[in-house]
Amino acid sequence: MHSVGNDIVDLNLAKTQSNWQRNGFLEKQFTQKEQQEIYNSKNPFLQVWQFWSMKEAAYKCYTQQVEKRFFAPLKFECTIISEDKGTVFFEDKIFYTTTTFNPFYVSTIAKQNATTTSIFSKIGKSDNVDKDLKTELASIVSLKLEEITKRKSSVGAPLYYYREKKITQSCSISHHGNYGAFAFTLNNEFERSTL
């Protein structure tokens, strides 16, 4: 399965709700290597939230495969490759990330297969994400919007169906503050043809 995960951070909300400089915060969330990169960064605040979104996106990607939830941010280690590209290592797995920067948010998409290209994604208002995702699906696979339903996997990952056929192979939705985002891949049957 080619899983996809995503995460979004509303930077204005992060400034007011999360004091990343408080005692113990970095040590609980980030490895020594990541902490050094944060401290050496031109913009430590932005680096914190880029790493955070990379870890969250990789975690969501991984949990869809193993179908169990856990909390272990220190086991996910981020590496920056270029301004928007990175990798996250977890045990023997590697996740490839792409981060979008904006004055208002940081958003990351993670995938385990570096060659996966058919990822559909969008960033919008937090309360419109589900509708936006269904609209995108309806457009891509030429289905009626009202015939697309959402269900949740055992780990709470969203799955979208047309009648009893699963449309999305993998799907991830994120909300934070004013912003929401989604990323998904289509089930093989829907990639090859439309109904």
Side-chain angles (χ1 to χ4, degrees):
M1 177 174 152
H2 297 294
S3 295
V4 63
N6 81 329
D7 191 57
I8 193 161
V9 177
D10 179 328
L11 294 174
N12 289 325
L13 188 60
K15 279 179 191 163
T16 60
Q17 284 191 344
S18 302
N19 179 6
W20 66 270
Q21 294 172 307
R22 75 178 179 268
N23 195 25
F25 179 83
L26 291 180
E27 293 80 6
K28 287 180 185 167
Q29 307 298 331
F30 303 104
T31 66
Q32 285 294 322
K33 176 180 152 287
E34 292 166 339
Q35 290 176 56
Q36 277 308 117
E37 286 191 50
I38 289 166
Y39 289 127
N40 294 334
S41 172
K42 289 181 204 164
N43 187 337
F45 170 79
L46 198 57
Q47 191 62 69
V48 163
W49 299 112
Q50 180 183 7
F51 281 160
W52 179 281
S53 71
M54 288 170 69
K55 285 176 184 262
E56 282 288 318
Y59 168 79
K60 289 177 182 178
C61 192
Y62 180 73
T63 57
Q64 287 181 59
Q65 296 169 6
V66 297
E67 296 189 352
K68 76 176 182 183
R69 290 177 168 240
F70 56 92
F71 181 76
L74 293 175
K75 291 186 177 185
F76 288 82
E77 187 167 74
C78 302
T79 300
I80 302 296
I81 295 171
S82 66
E83 190 175 323
D84 65 336
K85 302 286 186 216
T87 55
V88 180
F89 291 91
F90 174 73
E91 295 175 346
D92 61 342
K93 309 256 187 286
I94 183 169
F95 300 90
Y96 301 89
T97 65
T98 303
T99 303
T100 302
F101 297 94
N102 175 294
F104 306 105
Y105 58 76
V106 171
S107 179
T108 299
I109 294 174
K111 58 187 180 178
Q112 194 167 359
N113 187 331
T115 60
T116 301
T117 55
S118 300
I119 295 174
F120 302 91
S121 64
K122 184 176 178 182
I123 297 168
K125 294 201 172 292
S126 186
D127 52 359
N128 291 346
V129 174
D130 189 58
K131 183 179 173 228
D132 288 348
L133 198 155
K134 284 182 179 177
T135 301
E136 183 86 0
L137 275 172
S139 169
I140 292 167
V141 295
S142 302
L143 296 172
K144 291 182 181 172
L145 181 69
E146 57 275 8
E147 293 185 31
I148 297 173
T149 57
K150 177 172 125 179
R151 301 178 193 171
K152 291 203 173 194
S153 73
S154 60
V155 291
L159 299 170
Y160 286 82
Y161 286 80
Y162 167 73
R163 298 181 181 154
E164 290 303 309
K165 291 182 179 180
K166 190 164 75 162
I167 305 170
T168 54
Q169 180 182 56
S170 175
C171 186
S172 180
I173 294 176
S174 298
H175 302 88
H176 188 237
N178 290 320
Y179 303 99
F182 65 76
F184 66 84
T185 58
L186 291 175
N187 207 353
N188 292 339
E189 178 183 342
F190 286 92
E191 269 188 352
R192 285 191 295 272
S193 64
T194 55
L195 296 176

